[in-house]
Amino acid sequence: MRRDYGGIVLPLFLVFLRQNVGVLGFLSPLPRNVVDLPKALSGRYMSSTSSSSIVTDETKVPSTEWELDCYSRPVIVEGKKLWEVLITDSTGSFRVCESLPSNRVNSRELRRIVENTIDNSSVKPTAIRFFRGAMFNMINIALSEIEVVARPSRCTFALANWLEERNRDVYPQMEGYKSTMVSSDIGGGFLDVRTPVKLPDALRGEKYAFVSLPLSEFKEGGGVNADTIGVGRICPVSDELPGDAFVSGVVILTPRAKALSAWLAGTEVCSIKCDLRKRIMIMEADISTQYLVARLNDVQRAEGAAFEEGKDQLGGLHFISVQKDEDDDPAGFWLLKEIPGGL
């Protein structure tokens, strides 16, 4: 997709990328640039000691991709941890919250809650994502007898937003709240010992660029949406973010753009980050997998630091674009949001 700027037709995502590209390793950096784009059920969730709550948002279109969490919360009820099951869809059109006694936290009870939610929903799920590795076995068993695809994935953006709300606004107001019970980082914390896996040789890109796009392009009326990105996905964008902000991203340039995009679509890619201590760029996927994208020299490390700073300013929001070259439209595009620790 292209737009006409004063008689000059420009490609959608890469506008000012210069041609003086060097080669370093299997991925080489392009200069950092700000890219000027060619342009259910209802109500708000309220904290309650009741066992079940169902709400909807009629302004959002229901999705067949659901998101699920089952975990203890930082609240003690009658001397025991509060356990909750949270279910929503990828657009946040509905929210189901059901508490469980600690002696009934098992796959059978979880399956019952999921099946009840499906029975009461007009839009049935085709896939259910869950991000919490500690609950993998129980959730996987619960979903194995339901006609849905279980997807271990940190692409649970609507669920993460909801959990952030509850950690900020709901749990601290509940009797028995214990701030010391907040869970540890998701996908590895400070002492993360995971080793990134190399991308398959046939899928490695040749060049990459740190770029930015106006946040307005991801909102209603903007040029980036599910119809214009090809392969990929667009995570929900908070209305609270400043409209004049820019979203940081990484563009990967490769003649195998379609193959790489198709492969990434099957990996549940959830973020890309620059590990400044290890001097590497890594791509995060599913619950805990890391792929090595590039090694960073001093200049690239500085670029990576600016990229990470841009992410932090927008609560982890960033994007990945995969293209054949700087003149092509994306073969794949992902607008992503890192899931924060402590959920």
Side-chain angles (χ1 to χ4, degrees):
M1 189 178 77
R2 300 165 185 267
R3 290 185 182 176
D4 190 318
Y5 276 66
I8 302 175
V9 178
L10 299 173
L12 176 58
F13 292 110
L14 292 176
V15 179
F16 296 129
L17 289 180
R18 298 189 289 274
Q19 302 298 316
N20 53 332
V21 180
V23 176
L24 180 64
F26 60 84
L27 267 177
S28 61
L30 283 166
R32 178 179 178 86
N33 290 276
V34 172
V35 177
D36 184 10
L37 261 191
K39 278 217 146 222
L41 301 161
S42 92
R44 173 184 175 135
Y45 185 87
M46 301 300 290
S47 173
S48 172
T49 56
S50 63
S51 62
S52 182
S53 175
I54 304 174
V55 298
T56 59
D57 185 342
E58 296 180 356
T59 66
K60 297 176 180 177
V61 179
S63 170
T64 59
E65 297 188 344
W66 288 15
E67 301 172 4
L68 164 71
D69 187 38
C70 177
Y71 206 61
S72 63
R73 311 304 179 197
V75 177
I76 298 296
V77 178
E78 297 179 354
K80 297 181 179 180
K81 291 181 180 180
L82 170 67
W83 281 80
E84 290 180 332
V85 176
L86 302 182
I87 304 174
T88 185
D89 65 1
S90 62
T91 63
S93 72
F94 75 89
R95 290 177 170 181
V96 172
C97 174
E98 184 162 337
S99 58
L100 281 176
S102 57
N103 62 351
R104 288 171 54 194
V105 178
N106 55 57
S107 59
R108 183 179 62 255
E109 284 296 311
L110 178 58
R111 181 166 57 249
R112 174 189 62 79
I113 295 171
V114 174
E115 288 177 335
N116 287 344
T117 304
I118 292 174
D119 291 342
N120 291 317
S121 176
S122 59
V123 178
K124 310 301 182 184
T126 58
I128 298 180
R129 289 182 172 89
F130 58 96
F131 70 88
R132 210 177 289 277
M135 303 300 293
F136 175 85
N137 288 337
M138 194 187 85
I139 295 176
N140 209 39
I141 292 171
L143 298 181
S144 65
E145 297 185 22
I146 302 175
E147 293 186 5
V148 297
V149 177
R151 289 184 179 167
S153 171
R154 284 171 285 174
C155 295
T156 50
F157 306 117
L159 178 62
N161 288 340
W162 186 14
L163 280 166
E164 286 186 271
E165 290 177 20
R166 293 183 63 73
N167 280 321
R168 182 184 64 244
D169 302 330
V170 177
Y171 301 133
Q173 306 304 318
M174 297 176 69
E175 184 177 351
Y177 172 72
K178 303 291 183 181
S179 60
T180 55
M181 291 172 56
V182 173
S183 61
S184 60
D185 285 351
I186 295 164
F190 177 74
L191 297 178
D192 192 352
V193 295
R194 291 176 295 165
T195 301
V197 179
K198 288 185 178 181
L199 287 172
D201 290 343
L203 298 173
R204 292 178 182 176
E206 279 70 37
K207 309 164 189 173
Y208 70 87
F210 292 104
V211 298
S212 298
L213 291 173
L215 178 64
S216 59
E217 290 292 343
F218 297 103
K219 296 191 174 184
E220 186 175 355
V224 185
N225 54 59
D227 297 325
T228 63
I229 63 172
V231 176
R233 65 180 301 175
I234 302 291
C235 76
V237 177
S238 172
D239 292 333
E240 298 179 0
L241 295 178
D244 58 351
F246 281 82
V247 183
S248 296
V250 173
V251 175
I252 299 175
L253 303 176
T254 171
R256 298 174 291 275
K258 288 185 178 180
L260 177 57
S261 296
W263 182 79
L264 289 177
T267 65
E268 291 292 316
V269 57
C270 59
S271 72
I272 194 163
K273 62 175 61 175
C274 294
D275 188 321
L276 304 179
R277 182 174 63 86
K278 298 180 181 178
R279 292 175 171 264
I280 56 175
M281 183 191 298
I282 56 178
M283 189 178 294
E284 299 272 1
D286 56 62
I287 287 182
S288 60
T289 301
Q290 293 181 329
Y291 293 101
L292 177 63
V293 178
R295 299 189 183 278
L296 308 176
N297 61 24
D298 290 344
V299 174
Q300 297 157 12
R301 185 175 182 274
E303 296 288 295
F307 169 73
E308 290 296 326
E309 181 180 353
K311 284 166 52 180
D312 291 343
Q313 291 174 353
L314 294 181
L317 195 68
H318 63 293
F319 67 86
I320 303 170
S321 181
V322 179
Q323 301 174 214
K324 185 176 181 180
D325 57 44
E326 54 265 36
D327 295 321
D328 271 9
D329 290 340
F333 188 92
W334 289 261
L335 179 66
L336 307 168
K337 184 177 185 293
E338 285 186 353
I339 294 181
L343 294 185

